[in-house]
């Protein structure tokens, strides 16, 4: 019997992430070691760690795993792998190697785990990497993900908070995935919108990343559990703010209707609470606000690109199947990190 | 006053149940919801504000919050009759001892899997009606009977067509739920919000 995933998972995908305020309260207490080769590490909330090996090569290391939001194990494997691989792309890197991390119950038939791993392998190979082992722990609640190693040129690392004033910000996948999957899970969502969400969740950010690297991009991150606003906030520093043009933020069609029906997650509310005081909403419809805080699983990239290159980059990104849009721009510092208009 | 005990349930279930109850209240009424986390109270508050309902949140302890939502001129009198919310009006009809057309053994396995899955999904059907060869399930299929007993303990009504039990000589072999007649079956189907025939 294959449909055993969802029953073992109380909250799936990126809603399984620990409350962000709990994380921030303890992370700063972890002892830090100084190493000049650690190019990206503790200081910022970046997508991956980057460690310089030579003048030409830096290692990109990242890890991601979670519980399932879908019943089909093969699909779960693909989504979890796509999500984990994304962080390498968000740093401007190339995927080389991955290891499986999984928790699996001995009460479920092993074929289910086999299907999850098959999905993961498919995506690692599509990313151009090699899947070469991993570790599985016996656990009532099923979880899967990857530890991923990539490479990047030390001078071309794309950290998440290096925007320049005047940059435009591009989002490469529509949001609303959390709301759509929640609605579907409780029997109030359409299969069509769920299929759109599934397609997005299993599409690698590789293709958007390959295009982005040809342009004058200053910063990049990917949108996952902390939602569109949560990850956009990670791009902000003390010396600039970001203005969001809400009508240009693409979301999966039905997510607005479902948000209006309060088919929203606890994680979305936690994201909202964590960003208190940092976001100014100017007359933004409550349902749209829910979408902006909605946790995404395996979301798109947020790219901060020079104004001059923005239209060309957007045009090329829109030759891909999943559509991108310019969602805002970087401006002089205001009272808030982000202002949503 | 309608009471919903949503403790142990993840968002958005508490909100959805409350929303459904509020929609069923035509003009004035009160809904009393118990949840086990603060976030649920925040999501309920957002909904109450959106629908212009009065909301009151009382924290009992870290794992118990009582939320009262008043629609219109709803009453919060202590002696107001409290009804427990029983869930959606989803009716499932099982018309045979197999699921789908085709191989019979496969069909029996599919139906067994379907009934088992009902015990695991979050939405509880209000009623499951067995008729024609479906009567074999509530009388002879021990594994499914166990699953049906579990659903019954959670609040689902299990009914088997009496005429069908008689036809298959199973009248004294009903192991779960009660037997019923076509009038009741018709009534239930006509009032159902959703009818599922797997």
């Amino acid at each position: 019997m294959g449909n055993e995933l969802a029953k073992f998972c109380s909250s799936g995908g990126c809603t399984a992430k620990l409350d962000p305020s709990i994380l921030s309260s303890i992370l700063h207490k972890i002892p830090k070691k100084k190493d000049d080769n650690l190019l990206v590490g503790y200081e910022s909330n970046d997508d991956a760690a980057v460690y310089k090996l030579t003048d030409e090569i830096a290692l990109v290391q990242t890890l991601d795993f979670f519980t399932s939001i879908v019943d089909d194990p093969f699909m779960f494997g693909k989504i979890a792998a796509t999500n984990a691989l994304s962080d390498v792309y968000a740093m401007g890197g190339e995927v080389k190697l991955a290891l499986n991390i999984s928790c699996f119950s001995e009460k479920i038939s092993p074929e289910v785990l086999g299907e999850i791993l098959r999905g993961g392998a498919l995506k690692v190979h599509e990313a151009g990497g090699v899947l070469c082992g991993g570790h599985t722990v016996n656990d009532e609640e099923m979880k899967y993900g990857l530890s991923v190693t990539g490479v990047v040129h030390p001078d071309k690392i794309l950290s998440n908070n290096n925007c320049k004033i005047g940059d435009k910000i591009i989002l490469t996948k529509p949001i609303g995935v959390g709301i759509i999957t929640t609605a579907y899970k409780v029997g109030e969502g359409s299969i069509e919108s769920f299929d759109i969400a599934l397609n997005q969740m299993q599409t690698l950010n590789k293709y958007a990343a390959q295009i982005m690297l040809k342009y004058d991009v200053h910063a990049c991150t990917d949108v996952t559990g902390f939602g569109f606003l949560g990850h956009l906030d990670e791009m902000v520093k003390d010396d600039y703010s970001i203005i969001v043009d809400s009508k240009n933020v693409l979301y999966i069609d039905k997510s607005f209707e479902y948000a209006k029906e309060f088919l929203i997650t606890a994680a979305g509310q936690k994201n909202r609470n964590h960003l208190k005081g940092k976001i100014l909403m100017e007359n933004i419809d409550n349902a749209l606000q829910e979408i902006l805080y909605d946790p995404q699983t395996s979301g798109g990239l947020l790219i901060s690109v020079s104004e001059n290159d923005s239209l060309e980059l957007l045009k090329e990104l829109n030759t891909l199947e999943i559509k991108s849009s310019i969602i805002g721009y970087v401006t002089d510092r205001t009272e808030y990190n982000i202002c949503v208009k | 006053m309608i009471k919903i005990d949503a403790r142990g349930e993840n968002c958005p279930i508490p909100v959805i149940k409350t929303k459904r109850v509020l929609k069923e209240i035509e003009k004035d009424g009160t809904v009393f919801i118990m949840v086990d986390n603060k976030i649920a109270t925040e999501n309920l508050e957002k909904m109450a504000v959106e629908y212009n309902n009065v909301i009151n949140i009382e924290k009992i302890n870290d794992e118990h919050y009582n939320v009262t939502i008043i629609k219109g001129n709803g009453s919060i009198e202590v002696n107001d009759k409290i009804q427990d919310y029983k869930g959606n009006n989803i009716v499932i009809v099982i018309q045979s001892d197999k699921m789908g057309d085709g191989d019979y053994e496969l069909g029996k396995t599919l139906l067994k899997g379907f009934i088992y899955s009902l015990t695991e999904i979050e939405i509880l059907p209000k009623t499951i009606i067995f008729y024609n060869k479906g009567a074999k399930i509530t009388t002879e299929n021990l594994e499914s009977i166990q699953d049906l007993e579990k659903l019954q303990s959670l609040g689902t009504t299990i009914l088997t067509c009496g005429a069908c039990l008689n036809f298959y000589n199973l009248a004294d072999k009903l192991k779960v739920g009660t037997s019923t007649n076509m009038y009741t079956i018709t009534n239930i189907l006509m009032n159902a919000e959703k009818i599922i025939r797997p």
Side-chain angles (χ1 to χ4, degrees):
Chain A
M1 168 115 49
N3 287 357
E4 282 136 340
L5 264 90
K7 78 171 182 188
F8 283 105
C9 304
S10 49
S11 56
C14 290
T15 65
K17 257 172 121 96
L18 199 68
D19 187 323
S21 41
I22 295 177
L23 267 183
S24 16
S25 71
I26 51 164
L27 286 177
H28 70 271
K29 295 181 188 163
I30 297 174
K32 297 176 177 66
K33 181 184 166 191
K34 185 156 169 52
D35 186 331
D36 289 337
N37 289 322
L38 185 65
L39 304 178
V40 178
Y42 323 97
E43 288 74 35
S44 59
N45 297 318
D46 227 313
D47 302 298
V50 184
Y51 191 87
K52 185 173 173 181
L53 293 178
T54 70
D55 286 340
E56 319 275 300
I57 305 174
L59 213 59
V60 181
Q61 189 71 40
T62 183
L63 165 69
D64 251 308
F65 72 111
F66 49 53
T67 52
S68 182
I69 40 171
V70 293
D71 284 329
D72 174 3
F74 180 57
M75 181 64 74
F76 173 40
K78 286 193 284 179
I79 291 173
T82 301
N83 187 74
L85 293 161
S86 179
D87 283 329
V88 173
Y89 298 122
M91 298 305 293
E94 206 184 303
V95 171
K96 286 296 176 196
L97 204 58
L99 295 173
N100 286 320
I101 301 161
S102 60
C103 297
F104 194 72
S105 168
E106 283 169 354
K107 295 178 190 169
I108 302 181
S109 77
E111 281 79 44
V112 173
L113 178 61
E115 280 295 282
I116 295 172
L117 299 183
R118 185 171 74 91
L122 194 81
K123 285 297 166 184
V124 172
H125 297 157
E126 186 188 333
V130 187
L131 183 63
C132 48
H135 192 72
T136 302
V137 167
N138 183 27
D139 188 352
E140 277 287 302
E141 193 174 51
M142 196 133 32
K143 303 167 187 75
Y144 174 66
L146 301 170
S147 167
V148 188
T149 303
V151 291
V152 69
H153 192 291
D155 299 335
K156 296 186 184 160
I157 301 168
L158 287 177
S159 56
N160 59 6
N161 60 357
N162 218 22
C163 307
K164 305 266 173 280
I165 292 173
D167 276 0
K168 299 282 189 196
I169 313 268
I170 294 179
L171 171 67
T172 68
K173 282 187 193 175
I175 53 177
V177 162
I179 289 169
I180 297 283
T181 50
T182 298
Y184 185 73
K185 200 173 141 194
V186 297
E188 295 204 13
S190 77
I191 185 120
E192 292 80 18
S193 56
F194 187 60
D195 281 342
I196 293 171
L198 285 180
N199 183 46
Q200 286 193 196
M201 289 192 281
Q202 56 168 325
T203 299
L204 290 175
N205 282 331
K206 170 185 179 182
Y207 309 103
Q210 281 172 338
I211 293 173
M212 130 181 117
L213 293 174
K214 297 191 278 182
Y215 294 86
D216 186 21
V217 169
H218 301 132
C220 181
T221 189
D222 63 342
V223 184
T224 55
F226 296 143
F228 167 80
L229 285 175
H231 291 284
L232 191 65
D233 187 65
E234 287 176 342
M235 297 183 90
V236 176
K237 274 208 303 251
D238 287 342
D239 45 356
Y240 56 80
S241 292
I242 294 178
I243 309 285
V244 172
D245 190 357
S246 63
K247 65 180 187 318
N248 285 342
V249 177
L250 296 179
Y251 53 82
I252 300 176
D253 199 24
K254 290 245 182 260
S255 51
F256 189 86
E257 181 189 320
Y258 298 155
K260 269 207 133 33
E261 290 295 320
F262 293 93
L263 296 163
I264 55 182
T265 58
Q269 182 62 12
K270 287 180 192 173
N271 288 341
R272 184 193 282 264
N273 289 341
H274 184 64
L275 290 168
K276 212 163 174 179
K278 297 183 179 179
I279 317 279
L280 175 67
M281 295 277 189
E282 286 187 5
N283 293 320
I284 306 296
D285 189 289
N286 286 332
L288 183 57
Q289 289 192 31
E290 292 299 334
I291 295 172
L292 298 175
Y293 286 118
D294 181 45
Q296 304 304 290
T297 298
S298 187
L301 298 174
L302 279 165
I303 304 171
S304 185
V305 61
S306 76
E307 192 177 355
N308 285 342
D309 274 11
S310 57
L311 290 174
E312 276 304 305
L313 172 53
L314 181 70
K315 191 169 160 195
E316 198 174 341
L317 284 170
N318 278 332
T319 60
L320 297 172
E321 183 203 337
I322 296 176
K323 297 305 164 202
S324 301
S325 62
I326 295 177
I327 57 88
Y329 56 94
V330 183
T331 182
D332 288 311
R333 184 69 207 182
T334 70
E335 196 190 332
Y336 293 89
N337 284 4
I338 298 170
C339 175
V340 183
K341 292 188 192 276
Chain B
M1 181 189 295
I2 299 171
K3 184 179 103 182
I4 302 170
D5 187 351
R7 288 175 295 181
E9 290 181 314
N10 292 326
C11 278
I13 303 292
V15 174
I16 291 177
K17 283 188 175 174
T18 307
K19 190 182 62 165
R20 285 187 186 151
V21 167
L22 285 170
K23 279 190 176 157
E24 280 166 23
I25 297 173
E26 262 186 56
K27 213 172 142 237
D28 306 315
T30 309
V31 187
F32 176 75
I33 313 113
M34 297 193 280
V35 292
D36 61 14
N37 66 90
K38 185 158 191 281
I39 296 286
T41 68
E42 291 173 8
N43 280 340
L44 284 167
E45 188 170 21
K46 282 190 289 197
M47 184 178 72
V49 167
E50 182 79 13
Y51 295 155
N52 285 322
N53 297 325
V54 173
I55 183 168
N56 184 57
I57 300 168
E58 189 193 348
K59 180 178 175 177
I60 309 296
N61 58 54
D62 280 343
E63 273 149 27
H64 181 180
Y65 294 78
N66 286 339
V67 179
T68 312
I69 297 180
I70 301 169
K71 181 172 179 177
N73 293 318
S75 158
I76 46 161
E77 291 298 312
V78 166
N79 57 3
D80 202 31
K81 178 173 166 223
I82 296 179
Q83 275 172 258
D84 278 319
Y85 177 59
K86 285 208 169 16
N88 340 284
N89 194 353
I90 295 178
V91 176
I92 300 182
V93 294
I94 310 282
Q95 53 172 7
S96 181
D97 61 348
K98 64 174 174 65
M99 183 167 154
D101 285 326
D103 184 81
Y104 182 50
E105 287 307 314
L106 173 64
K108 286 202 289 188
T109 307
L110 290 175
L111 184 59
K112 187 174 90 171
F114 176 80
I115 293 174
Y116 168 73
S117 297
L118 286 175
T119 68
E120 298 296 339
I121 57 171
E122 274 170 316
I123 304 171
L124 196 69
K126 187 157 180 211
T127 316
I128 308 179
I129 303 174
F130 293 82
Y131 55 74
N132 208 317
K133 222 168 171 195
K136 295 242 173 189
I137 303 295
T138 48
T139 50
E140 292 171 347
N141 193 316
L142 294 174
E143 275 174 87
S144 291
I145 287 168
Q146 255 189 328
D147 293 332
L148 292 168
E149 279 172 349
K150 183 176 175 191
L151 289 169
Q152 196 170 235
S153 70
L154 294 169
T156 302
T157 305
I158 313 285
L159 297 171
T160 306
C161 156
C164 311
L165 287 166
N166 287 335
F167 181 85
Y168 288 107
N169 289 320
L170 296 168
D172 54 349
K173 297 204 168 56
L174 187 61
K175 300 224 170 32
V176 60
T178 56
S179 90
T180 187
N181 57 52
M182 188 49 73
Y183 178 79
T184 306
I185 291 174
T186 309
N187 214 12
I188 289 172
L189 291 176
M190 290 301 277
N191 284 311
E193 196 179 297
K194 203 191 288 195
I195 299 171
I196 296 170
R197 194 187 73 182

